[in-house]
Structure formats: structure tokens, C-alpha cells
């Protein structure tokens, strides 16, 4: 089968590789859609921390935001899975450690991450093999595009849940990228007043087109109280800015990661009686995200700017947008599309 293989920083190509087989407890998926994520870009540039910590190495097969259809299953798996449309959890714990046994497999020290960590191949390929225990069935109302938006949606949903918003709350979201805009959609569905802060005129204008009129450059941000601040950016300076802008007794949520250490003054955290929460992975939020998409509570499909064939994945990894791309922040790959 075809798979995109990254062999080093800025070096990758579509290669012919052995098709996966379903080991015991696993399923093979025909991949229908894959999202290109900032994590994938960091692997492409060589900046991803896992590369320097020994959790990942080249060559690597990327792709952890995906949807598809089960084609075969391994020993011990109910054959009823065959033919089902699914997406899957990125985080695969060892299933035996204290964290896994307490339901926290997404922070298992020995975890694999699909397309990210521990040598588990990702979904930028014709097919993907994963444990059936990681799969989530997609209802008919959740199409392939929505299915590949479940993973970022789960991260965003968990960030909003951590903010504990009420209908009369005002929330500030830093970074109007995919996670930030998804968080804004979930927050709006709860009745909160949503503000977004970003740097690029184009991303702020797109946020306004989605109905988020309160989208600001930093120097335009109004002096109003924010009951919660969600940092969905990759800017090292913004975690401290978030602490500065949150109301006393409010909540901070950190779901973005900078490429260098971010510093906050914990004296301000204590003296303002602020609760700060970190969010890693969609895992505990996947089922609720699928339900929200299925019910139409939010529709994130406008975030997808373009869908291109597998042979064109190198361009978005390098930061290039297709000529016919819309204004959204997300590029999707459909391995079923032909053409270079």
C-alpha cells in the first residue's frame, strides 16, 4: 500500500510499504480522511519534543486525526466490526500500569500514540491497523470530514469542560486556530460570551465569519472581565498573558504547547485564587465530541480549507496552502483521491 514516510527533517515521500495485518485484538481500517496537525508539522521540521526525548524517531509515519472503515479484524475481535465507519483514540496505553487501570491511559508512561510516539504507524496511508479497544463508531450523521475532526474536537471540548463555563460567563480564547475555534464553538453552544485573540488578520476575519464578532488583536482586546481564559496558542508568552487577564477566582486552561518553556508567576496564580488546568489529548472527550457532531450542536466542517490526495501531503506539512484553499485553518488528506 501507499504511505507517507517522513525520513528526516524536511524529508518525506509517499512510498510503497507492506499493508498492515490485524494482530489479535486489532482491526485494519481503510483510511478515508486524515487531518494535518501542528504536531505533524513539528515532526516535519524536526522540532517535535518527542524526537529529542527518545519517544519518537525517524522514519515515522504520521497521521493521528482520521476516519475510515473497518476492513478486517484479528483474532478475538467481534466480526461485526467489519464494515463499520470509525475513528480512533490516538493514545494507546499499555493497559497494565496504575494510570491505565485508573482510566488514564492517555498519560500512560509506556503509551504509544498513533502516528506520533512509540513506533505506531499513523493514518497518512491507504490503511491503518489499531487496537479495536481504541475505536469509536461513527453514526451516519458524522461524515468522513467530521470523523477526522473528532480528535481535535475532543481536545477542544475537554478544554471547555475544564473552564466550567456557565451561560452568563465570558471566556477569552487565545489562538484562533483549529483547537481555538473548536473551543469557541463548544463554548458558544453553552451560551457563554466568547472572545478570541489572535495575530493574523486573516484568521481573525475567518473567526468573525463564523459568528465570533469579538475577535481581537492583542492591542485591541477590551478591558472586560474574563471568567475563564483558554490558551490554545503556541506562543510562549501567552500563558502569562492568560493569567494576567483571567478574573480572580476564575479558571485557566492550557491546551496549547509552545516550542520553548512558558513561564507564569505562581504568586499571581495563588493571590488571584485561580484554578489552572492542563489538557493533553482528546481521549476522555471523544464520545461526547462524536455525539455533539451527530446532533449538530456544532458543525466544524467550515474549518477544513481543502482536501487533497496523499501525494500532496508534503505541501501542508511545509506550511504551504493549496491554491484553491478556503479560509479555514485545517487541511485534510483523502488517500482515495487520485492525482499528484
Amino acid at each position: 500500500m501507499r504511505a507517507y514516510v517522513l525520513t528526516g527533517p524536511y524529508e518525506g515521500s509517499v512510498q510503497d510499504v507492506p499493508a498492515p495485518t490485524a494482530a489479535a485484538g486489532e482491526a485494519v481500517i481503510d483510511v478515508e480522511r486524515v487531518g494535518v496537525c501542528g504536531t505533524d508539522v513539528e515532526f516535519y521540521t524536526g522540532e517535535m519534543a518527542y524526537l529529542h526525548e527518545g519517544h519518537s524517531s525517524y522514519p515515522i509515519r504520521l497521521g493521528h486525526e482520521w476516519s475510515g472503515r473497518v476492513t478486517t479484524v484479528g483474532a478475538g475481535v467481534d466480526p461485526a466490526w467489519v464494515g463499520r465507519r470509525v475513528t480512533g483514540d490516538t493514545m494507546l496505553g499499555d493497559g497494565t500500569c496504575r494510570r491505565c487501570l485508573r482510566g488514564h491511559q492517555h498519560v500512560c508512561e509506556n503509551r504509544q500514540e498513533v502516528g506520533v510516539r512509540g513506533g505506531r504507524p499513523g493514518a497518512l496511508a491507504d490503511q491503518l491497523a489499531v487496537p479495536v479497544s481504541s475505536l469509536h463508531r461513527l453514526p451516519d450523521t458524522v461524515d468522513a470530514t467530521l470523523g477526522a475532526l473528532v480528535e481535535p474536537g475532543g481536545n477542544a471540548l475537554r478544554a471547555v469542560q475544564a473552564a466550567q463555563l456557565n451561560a452568563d460567563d465570558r471566556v477569552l480564547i487565545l489562538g484562533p486556530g483549529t483547537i481555538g475555534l473548536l473551543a469557541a464553538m463548544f463554548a458558544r453552544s453553552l451560551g457563554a460570551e466568547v472572545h478570541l485573540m489572535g495575530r493574523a488578520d486573516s484568521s481573525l476575519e475567518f473567526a468573525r465569519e463564523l459568528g465570533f464578532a469579538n475577535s481581537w488583536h492583542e492591542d485591541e482586546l477590551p478591558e472586560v472581565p474574563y471568567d475563564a481564559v483558554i490558551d490554545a496558542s503556541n506562543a510562549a508568552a501567552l500563558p502569562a498573558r492568560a493569567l494576567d487577564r483571567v478574573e480572580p477566582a476564575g479558571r485557566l486552561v492550557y491546551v496549547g504547547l509552545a516550542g520553548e518553556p512558558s513561564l507564569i508567576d505562581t504568586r499571581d496564580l495563588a493571590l488571584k485564587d485561580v484554578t489552572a488546568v492542563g489538557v493533553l489529548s482528546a481521549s476522555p472527550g471523544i464520545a461526547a465530541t462524536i455525539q455533539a457532531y451527530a446532533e449538530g450542536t456544532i458543525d466544524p466542517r467550515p474549518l477544513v480549507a481543502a482536501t487533497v490526495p496523499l501525494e500532496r501531503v508534503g505541501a501542508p506539512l511545509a506550511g504551504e496552502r493549496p491554491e484553491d484553499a478556503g479560509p479555514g485553518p485545517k487541511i485534510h488528506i483523502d488517500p482515495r483521491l487520485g492525482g499528484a
Side-chain angles (χ1 to χ4, degrees), residues 192-224:
E193 179 184 322
V194 179
H195 289 233
L196 285 149
M197 190 186 90
R199 293 181 296 183
D201 291 338
S202 57
S203 61
L204 292 171
E205 180 56 35
F206 178 62
R208 296 184 190 108
E209 291 174 4
L210 294 177
F212 298 106
N214 295 310
S215 297
W216 317 95
H217 289 286
E218 185 168 7
D219 59 359
E220 301 171 333
L221 198 63
E223 291 295 331
V224 296

Short mmCIF file of all heavy atoms in Angstrom, two decimals, residues 192-224:
data_model
loop_
_atom_site.label_atom_id
_atom_site.label_comp_id
_atom_site.label_asym_id
_atom_site.label_seq_id
_atom_site.Cartn_x
_atom_site.Cartn_y
_atom_site.Cartn_z
N ALA A 192 -22.05 30.81 26.54
CA ALA A 192 -21.04 31.76 27.03
C ALA A 192 -20.78 32.84 25.99
O ALA A 192 -20.95 32.63 24.78
CB ALA A 192 -19.75 31.03 27.37
N GLU A 193 -20.33 34.00 26.47
CA GLU A 193 -19.88 35.07 25.58
C GLU A 193 -18.42 34.79 25.23
O GLU A 193 -17.56 34.77 26.10
CB GLU A 193 -20.00 36.43 26.27
CG GLU A 193 -19.52 37.59 25.41
CD GLU A 193 -19.56 38.91 26.16
OE1 GLU A 193 -20.52 39.14 26.94
OE2 GLU A 193 -18.63 39.74 25.99
N VAL A 194 -18.14 34.60 23.96
CA VAL A 194 -16.83 34.15 23.51
C VAL A 194 -16.04 35.29 22.90
O VAL A 194 -16.54 36.00 22.02
CB VAL A 194 -16.96 33.01 22.48
CG1 VAL A 194 -15.59 32.56 22.01
CG2 VAL A 194 -17.73 31.83 23.09
N HIS A 195 -14.82 35.45 23.37
CA HIS A 195 -13.86 36.37 22.77
C HIS A 195 -12.66 35.55 22.29
O HIS A 195 -12.25 34.59 22.95
CB HIS A 195 -13.38 37.42 23.77
CG HIS A 195 -14.43 38.42 24.14
ND1 HIS A 195 -14.23 39.78 24.05
CD2 HIS A 195 -15.70 38.28 24.60
CE1 HIS A 195 -15.31 40.43 24.45
NE2 HIS A 195 -16.22 39.52 24.79
N LEU A 196 -12.09 35.96 21.16
CA LEU A 196 -10.89 35.30 20.61
C LEU A 196 -9.80 36.34 20.42
O LEU A 196 -10.08 37.49 20.06
CB LEU A 196 -11.21 34.65 19.26
CG LEU A 196 -12.02 33.35 19.31
CD1 LEU A 196 -12.88 33.21 18.07
CD2 LEU A 196 -11.09 32.15 19.43
N MET A 197 -8.56 35.95 20.66
CA MET A 197 -7.42 36.83 20.43
C MET A 197 -6.42 36.12 19.52
O MET A 197 -6.08 34.95 19.73
CB MET A 197 -6.74 37.21 21.74
CG MET A 197 -5.70 38.32 21.58
SD MET A 197 -4.80 38.63 23.11
CE MET A 197 -3.43 37.48 22.92
N GLY A 198 -5.97 36.82 18.48
CA GLY A 198 -5.02 36.24 17.55
C GLY A 198 -4.11 37.29 16.96
O GLY A 198 -4.17 38.47 17.33
N ARG A 199 -3.27 36.87 16.03
CA ARG A 199 -2.29 37.78 15.43
C ARG A 199 -2.58 38.08 13.97
O ARG A 199 -2.42 39.22 13.53
CB ARG A 199 -0.87 37.18 15.54
CG ARG A 199 -0.35 37.10 16.96
CD ARG A 199 1.04 36.52 17.01
NE ARG A 199 1.08 35.14 16.55
CZ ARG A 199 2.17 34.38 16.54
NH1 ARG A 199 3.33 34.89 16.92
NH2 ARG A 199 2.11 33.12 16.14
N ALA A 200 -2.99 37.08 13.20
CA ALA A 200 -3.17 37.27 11.76
C ALA A 200 -4.54 37.85 11.44
O ALA A 200 -5.56 37.38 11.96
CB ALA A 200 -2.99 35.93 11.04
N ASP A 201 -4.57 38.86 10.59
CA ASP A 201 -5.83 39.45 10.17
C ASP A 201 -6.74 38.40 9.56
O ASP A 201 -7.96 38.39 9.80
CB ASP A 201 -5.59 40.57 9.16
CG ASP A 201 -4.92 41.79 9.77
OD1 ASP A 201 -5.02 41.97 11.00
OD2 ASP A 201 -4.30 42.57 9.01
N SER A 202 -6.16 37.50 8.74
CA SER A 202 -6.98 36.51 8.03
C SER A 202 -7.68 35.56 9.00
O SER A 202 -8.85 35.22 8.80
CB SER A 202 -6.11 35.73 7.05
OG SER A 202 -5.02 35.10 7.73
N SER A 203 -6.97 35.12 10.04
CA SER A 203 -7.58 34.18 10.98
C SER A 203 -8.66 34.86 11.81
O SER A 203 -9.70 34.25 12.12
CB SER A 203 -6.52 33.55 11.88
OG SER A 203 -5.86 34.53 12.65
N LEU A 204 -8.44 36.11 12.17
CA LEU A 204 -9.46 36.84 12.93
C LEU A 204 -10.68 37.13 12.07
O LEU A 204 -11.83 37.04 12.55
CB LEU A 204 -8.86 38.14 13.48
CG LEU A 204 -7.80 37.95 14.56
CD1 LEU A 204 -7.12 39.28 14.88
CD2 LEU A 204 -8.40 37.35 15.83
N GLU A 205 -10.47 37.45 10.81
CA GLU A 205 -11.60 37.69 9.91
C GLU A 205 -12.40 36.40 9.72
O GLU A 205 -13.64 36.42 9.69
CB GLU A 205 -11.10 38.21 8.57
CG GLU A 205 -12.21 38.50 7.56
CD GLU A 205 -13.26 39.48 8.08
OE1 GLU A 205 -12.89 40.41 8.83
OE2 GLU A 205 -14.46 39.30 7.74
N PHE A 206 -11.71 35.27 9.60
CA PHE A 206 -12.41 33.99 9.46
C PHE A 206 -13.23 33.71 10.72
O PHE A 206 -14.38 33.25 10.63
CB PHE A 206 -11.42 32.87 9.20
CG PHE A 206 -12.05 31.51 9.09
CD1 PHE A 206 -12.96 31.24 8.09
CD2 PHE A 206 -11.74 30.51 9.99
CE1 PHE A 206 -13.56 29.98 7.97
CE2 PHE A 206 -12.33 29.25 9.89
CZ PHE A 206 -13.24 28.99 8.88
N ALA A 207 -12.67 33.99 11.89
CA ALA A 207 -13.43 33.79 13.13
C ALA A 207 -14.69 34.64 13.13
O ALA A 207 -15.76 34.18 13.55
CB ALA A 207 -12.55 34.13 14.33
N ARG A 208 -14.59 35.86 12.65
CA ARG A 208 -15.78 36.72 12.58
C ARG A 208 -16.80 36.15 11.60
O ARG A 208 -18.02 36.22 11.85
CB ARG A 208 -15.38 38.14 12.17
CG ARG A 208 -14.48 38.83 13.21
CD ARG A 208 -14.18 40.27 12.82
NE ARG A 208 -13.14 40.82 13.69
CZ ARG A 208 -11.88 41.06 13.31
NH1 ARG A 208 -11.51 40.82 12.04
NH2 ARG A 208 -11.01 41.54 14.16
N GLU A 209 -16.33 35.56 10.49
CA GLU A 209 -17.25 34.94 9.54
C GLU A 209 -18.00 33.77 10.16
O GLU A 209 -19.12 33.46 9.75
CB GLU A 209 -16.48 34.47 8.30
CG GLU A 209 -15.93 35.61 7.44
CD GLU A 209 -15.06 35.09 6.31
OE1 GLU A 209 -14.95 33.85 6.15
OE2 GLU A 209 -14.48 35.92 5.58
N LEU A 210 -17.39 33.13 11.14
CA LEU A 210 -18.04 32.03 11.86
C LEU A 210 -18.99 32.53 12.94
O LEU A 210 -19.60 31.72 13.65
CB LEU A 210 -16.99 31.11 12.48
CG LEU A 210 -16.10 30.34 11.51
CD1 LEU A 210 -15.05 29.54 12.28
CD2 LEU A 210 -16.91 29.41 10.62
N GLY A 211 -19.12 33.84 13.06
CA GLY A 211 -20.05 34.41 14.03
C GLY A 211 -19.42 34.88 15.32
O GLY A 211 -20.14 35.29 16.24
N PHE A 212 -18.08 34.87 15.40
CA PHE A 212 -17.40 35.31 16.61
C PHE A 212 -16.96 36.77 16.41
O PHE A 212 -15.82 37.06 16.05
CB PHE A 212 -16.22 34.39 16.93
CG PHE A 212 -16.63 32.97 17.19
CD1 PHE A 212 -16.40 31.97 16.25
CD2 PHE A 212 -17.30 32.63 18.36
CE1 PHE A 212 -16.79 30.68 16.47
CE2 PHE A 212 -17.71 31.34 18.60
CZ PHE A 212 -17.47 30.35 17.65
N ALA A 213 -17.92 37.66 16.65
CA ALA A 213 -17.67 39.09 16.40
C ALA A 213 -16.58 39.64 17.30
O ALA A 213 -15.87 40.58 16.91
CB ALA A 213 -18.97 39.87 16.58
N ASN A 214 -16.45 39.07 18.50
CA ASN A 214 -15.45 39.56 19.46
C ASN A 214 -14.11 38.86 19.22
O ASN A 214 -13.64 38.08 20.05
CB ASN A 214 -15.94 39.34 20.89
CG ASN A 214 -17.18 40.14 21.21
OD1 ASN A 214 -17.22 41.35 20.96
ND2 ASN A 214 -18.20 39.49 21.74
N SER A 215 -13.51 39.14 18.07
CA SER A 215 -12.21 38.57 17.70
C SER A 215 -11.23 39.72 17.55
O SER A 215 -11.45 40.64 16.75
CB SER A 215 -12.33 37.78 16.39
OG SER A 215 -13.21 36.67 16.55
N TRP A 216 -10.14 39.66 18.32
CA TRP A 216 -9.31 40.84 18.51
C TRP A 216 -7.82 40.55 18.31
O TRP A 216 -7.35 39.45 18.59
CB TRP A 216 -9.46 41.37 19.95
CG TRP A 216 -10.83 41.41 20.50
CD1 TRP A 216 -11.45 40.46 21.27
CD2 TRP A 216 -11.80 42.46 20.33
NE1 TRP A 216 -12.72 40.86 21.61
CE2 TRP A 216 -12.96 42.08 21.04
CE3 TRP A 216 -11.78 43.69 19.65
CZ2 TRP A 216 -14.10 42.87 21.08
CZ3 TRP A 216 -12.91 44.49 19.70
CH2 TRP A 216 -14.06 44.08 20.41
N HIS A 217 -7.09 41.59 17.87
CA HIS A 217 -5.64 41.62 18.05
C HIS A 217 -5.37 41.95 19.52
O HIS A 217 -6.23 42.52 20.21
CB HIS A 217 -5.01 42.70 17.17
CG HIS A 217 -5.02 42.36 15.71
ND1 HIS A 217 -4.18 41.42 15.17
CD2 HIS A 217 -5.78 42.83 14.69
CE1 HIS A 217 -4.41 41.33 13.87
NE2 HIS A 217 -5.38 42.18 13.55
N GLU A 218 -4.17 41.61 19.99
CA GLU A 218 -3.88 41.80 21.41
C GLU A 218 -4.04 43.26 21.85
O GLU A 218 -4.56 43.53 22.93
CB GLU A 218 -2.47 41.31 21.73
CG GLU A 218 -2.13 41.36 23.22
CD GLU A 218 -0.86 40.63 23.59
OE1 GLU A 218 -0.16 40.17 22.66
OE2 GLU A 218 -0.59 40.49 24.79
N ASP A 219 -3.62 44.19 21.02
CA ASP A 219 -3.71 45.60 21.41
C ASP A 219 -5.13 46.13 21.32
O ASP A 219 -5.41 47.27 21.73
CB ASP A 219 -2.76 46.46 20.56
CG ASP A 219 -3.04 46.37 19.07
OD1 ASP A 219 -3.96 45.63 18.67
OD2 ASP A 219 -2.33 47.05 18.30
N GLU A 220 -6.07 45.34 20.80
CA GLU A 220 -7.47 45.75 20.70
C GLU A 220 -8.33 45.11 21.79
O GLU A 220 -9.50 45.47 21.95
CB GLU A 220 -8.05 45.33 19.35
CG GLU A 220 -7.35 45.91 18.14
CD GLU A 220 -7.83 45.28 16.85
OE1 GLU A 220 -8.29 44.12 16.88
OE2 GLU A 220 -7.75 45.96 15.81
N LEU A 221 -7.76 44.17 22.53
CA LEU A 221 -8.54 43.39 23.48
C LEU A 221 -9.19 44.32 24.51
O LEU A 221 -8.51 45.10 25.18
CB LEU A 221 -7.63 42.39 24.18
CG LEU A 221 -8.29 41.20 24.89
CD1 LEU A 221 -9.04 40.33 23.89
CD2 LEU A 221 -7.23 40.38 25.62
N PRO A 222 -10.51 44.26 24.65
CA PRO A 222 -11.19 45.18 25.57
C PRO A 222 -10.89 44.86 27.03
O PRO A 222 -10.62 43.71 27.39
CB PRO A 222 -12.67 44.97 25.25
CG PRO A 222 -12.76 43.60 24.67
CD PRO A 222 -11.47 43.38 23.94
N GLU A 223 -10.96 45.88 27.85
CA GLU A 223 -10.70 45.73 29.29
C GLU A 223 -12.00 45.31 29.98
O GLU A 223 -12.65 46.10 30.67
CB GLU A 223 -10.15 47.02 29.88
CG GLU A 223 -8.76 47.36 29.41
CD GLU A 223 -7.72 46.34 29.87
OE1 GLU A 223 -7.92 45.73 30.93
OE2 GLU A 223 -6.73 46.15 29.14
N VAL A 224 -12.37 44.06 29.77
CA VAL A 224 -13.56 43.49 30.40
C VAL A 224 -13.13 42.25 31.20
O VAL A 224 -12.08 41.66 30.92
CB VAL A 224 -14.62 43.10 29.34
CG1 VAL A 224 -15.12 44.34 28.62
CG2 VAL A 224 -14.06 42.09 28.35
#
